[in-house]
Amino acid sequence: METISRISSMLETARELTLEAAQSAALNRGSGTGVSPRNLTASHIKKLLDSRSDREVLDGMRRVITLMYRAEPSLPFFSAVVKNVASANFEVKKLVYIYLVHHAETEPDLALLSINAIQKSLTDQNPHARAMALRTMAGIRVPVISQIVSLAIKRGCGDMSPHVRKAAALAIPKCYRLDPNSLPQLVGYITTLLGDSQYFVLGPAVAAFLEVCPDRIDLIHKHYRTLVKKLVDMDEWSQLATLRLLTFYARQCFPRKTKQVKRATETKGFYEDDDNGNEVTDENEADLDEVPVLDPDLELFLRACLLLLQNRNSAVIVSIVRCFLHLGTPEYLQAAVGPLIALLRSPQDVQHVALYNIVVVALRHPKPFTKYATHFLVHAIDPPHIWRLKLEVLTIIFPHCGQHLKNVILSELQHFSQSTNPEMVRESVRAIGRCAQADTSAANYCLRVLLSQITSQDDNLVAESLTVIRHLIQQDPPSHEKTVIQLVKHLGLTSNPDARATIVWLVGEFAGAEPERNIAPDVLRILVQDFANEAEAVKQQIVLLGAKVYLHHLLRNPPKEEPEAQTPPPAKTEEAIVNEWADTPNEQEPETNGQEEHKSEPEEDQIALLWRYILLLARYDSSYDLRDRARLYKALLASPSMTQLANLLLLAPKPVPHAPSPSETRKDFLIGSSTLVIGPDAGMLGLKGYENLPDWVGAGQEPDPRLRESEVKPDPTGRASMTAGERLDQALKEHEQSASSSKKAQLDRPGGASSKGKTLDEWLEEPESESEEETEEEEEVTDSEYETDEEETEEEETEEDESEEEEDETDSEDRAQTTGLLKR
């Protein structure tokens, strides 16, 4: 019967297509009369809509929908379209519903005229018609019909068709936005739909729950395990909603538990048979690691998520990574890194979003990404927003890579630092600096790479390299004195103001070295000679260098304090004065004084004169900022009593610079959210609708695990816990086993292989013993079947056995008679 109905439907479809083709051909032939098939007038379209022929009405509706999606005026046909809402043609009804949903807000009074016809469609025999009517009624955004929509949803929740129940679940959020006062009724509908047995009804029900009442976690307890088991069978959008719900549910219902595990490091001996090498020392026994302990229900959810890692939807992959990152253990996260990296083969928009999520995951757990380091190498076709994130990932995983990968990453960064794109040059050099800060073992090599780029003709590369070098030198200043001397040698080779200012500042940081190794006064003397031709940034650093050199000079040679006023000594007599002059010759005094002046005056005069000369140059400079700085330094160093204050201002220890990853500010945003992609521009609270994960519930405050026990009786076959795919696989295996067993039984049966070649006489000449054996076997089977039944009484068994024996006797007598007649 099904085959006949299919053939008839195919013939009907072919007939309709033929009639439509004939109609279009007729219109093409009649185009010479002035009626164009594409540009029909409004009156002609209304004539089609008012026709009694379903085919003409369908043609008119198609033209109206075409006008609507071309943004051309289609509202004048509203009254003519509403008349066809009760059409028996399903295709016409679909187009009318689309038109009503689109224009109901502009004409609410006319839209109300179609409510009665739509309500009648809720009782249509076609489930698709009922679902479409419910969807249309919820889509007509007229507040007056909110109660009617609520009643329609109630009817849809109890419908026999799952498609109608799915439409009811999708209509719940629309009804809530239409009338928030209907919340209690809608919560009851959601509770009913969450217990549905169809997986494609559960997904929309979960989405409605997240929008209408996301705080009612108590409604999820008894459906938790059902949602987890049916997660695999849902469509992608239902999986997204369910993953989000279960992630929030796990944070609020499963406490974070850990246990202390001893970390024992085995020290193997040189030989494998050496038993002393496997001893655990006392120091290792004190080392303990915290290992997370997962709740059985939480582990059930995480194992179900593992099955979704092969999903074709990138949003589902990111949602699973979010679950593993915030709920699972590192083992689960490591299993999800590969599918997350596979998203880099997607188009650029998906690749961009995936890279943001990869960066956030790598900031917390960088080690799993090391074996995929080659996937983050920059390609020539990558746009700037892609290669920036790739460079960032390379710098994050750099400390955890092997030596070979470190060399590959640094060579790539060195190559891109010599690019013609200034932005790529800047980001590549900064990436080299971050690699050096993250891994101290590679800091010297990174410093050599940066020093080799100082002689480049690209001023942008030189300036950025010197900035990064300054940061590296500040990490450990005492070990980089020779590096500063090497930079001073390149001071005359570069003309970039930023590069020269950086070198001068570094010289000022080493101005307090011992006089034998101090090059700051000589560098200052050379720079002052061409002070007027320097850029303003370099002039500021020269004045600062002069202030530091002069301050160190004052600290090494503090001025002698003037003696305080004391009581005058008693007057000497003339004899005492004469004796003093007699004891000390007059010629020796000037000689000693001259030697002391010769020893002390030259050094003081050189640095003091140099400092006064710098102040004089800055005093007549055109930059008011430079003049103000010079006045400040002059006032600080003018009085010996201000030396301590100048020491605090000029020679204070500088904080060690640390260049964080550019995405460090996005680290706390939720993975898979739009706020993560937008970043700090979204604000402190993120975009509208953004909600971060709740904190873990405290131990002892979680709900009773018995609430998650299902009320359904346990299935001994285990089919209820299986997914749809597993059921199909098991049914296929059972079918194959039954087919193979039946074939084997036919082969084992005597004469089974040659039964097809027997004639009718051979069949009739078979001995009666075979028939008797068959009857005996049948009796044994029936006896065993009846013995297993506990409800039947012994009297019924005996009666049935007697009746079967009588039937067997009559059958054997009939067969004997037929064989005798045939032989005669």
Side-chain angles (χ1 to χ4, degrees), residues 525-554:
R525 177 177 55 80
I526 295 171
L527 291 173
V528 167
Q529 297 176 4
D530 198 20
F531 181 85
N533 297 326
E534 296 284 356
E536 183 179 354
V538 183
K539 290 180 181 179
Q540 292 177 0
Q541 296 301 327
I542 292 174
V543 173
L544 179 60
L545 176 60
K548 289 180 179 179
V549 170
Y550 185 62
L551 178 58
H552 282 294
H553 173 69
L554 293 178

Side-chain angles (χ1 to χ4, degrees), residues 104 123 138 185 188 284 358 409 444 521 556 608 665 742:
T123 58
Q185 302 172 3
N284 292 331
I358 289 172
I409 292 173
N444 292 331
R556 284 195 297 265
T665 55
S742 61

Side-chain angles (χ1 to χ4, degrees), residues 389-497:
L389 294 172
K390 285 188 175 181
L391 292 180
E392 186 175 358
V393 177
L394 289 176
T395 56
I396 292 172
I397 67 176
F398 179 80
H400 305 276
C401 294
Q403 188 61 39
H404 174 69
L405 286 177
K406 287 181 181 179
N407 295 334
V408 171
I409 292 173
L410 288 177
S411 62
E412 287 289 320
L413 295 177
Q414 185 178 3
H415 170 73
F416 288 113
S417 64
Q418 299 173 358
S419 173
T420 56
N421 187 357
E423 294 183 1
M424 180 171 283
V425 171
R426 189 180 303 111
E427 293 296 331
S428 300
V429 174
R430 290 177 182 176
I432 294 174
R434 291 199 299 272
C435 291
Q437 289 183 3
D439 189 3
T440 55
S441 61
N444 292 331
Y445 180 75
C446 295
L447 187 60
R448 289 196 299 270
V449 171
L450 294 172
L451 288 174
S452 64
Q453 296 174 347
I454 296 177
T455 57
S456 175
Q457 299 296 326
D458 188 359
D459 293 341
N460 185 25
L461 174 59
V462 174
E464 200 64 39
S465 299
L466 282 171
T467 303
V468 176
I469 290 171
R470 175 173 64 84
H471 292 169
L472 296 179
I473 291 176
Q474 287 184 263
Q475 301 286 336
D476 188 13
S479 62
H480 290 93
E481 290 186 5
K482 294 183 180 179
T483 306
V484 176
I485 295 174
Q486 188 176 357
L487 291 175
V488 172
K489 293 179 181 179
H490 293 88
L491 188 60
L493 301 177
T494 178
S495 59
N496 192 336

Side-chain angles (χ1 to χ4, degrees), residues 54 161 191 193 198 217 222 376 388 394 426 456 480 496 509 528 533 542 594 661 677 731 799 820:
D54 291 343
S161 175
T191 306
L193 292 172
Q198 295 292 333
I217 297 296
K222 60 182 179 180
F376 302 107
R388 278 197 186 95
L394 289 176
R426 189 180 303 111
S456 175
H480 290 93
N496 192 336
E509 288 298 304
V528 167
N533 297 326
I542 292 174
S661 183
V677 179
E799 291 176 358

Side-chain angles (χ1 to χ4, degrees), residues 528-529 531 608-618:
V528 167
Q529 297 176 4
F531 181 85
L609 288 173
L610 189 60
W611 171 239
R612 285 198 290 272
Y613 181 61
I614 292 172
L615 292 177
L616 188 64
L617 291 174

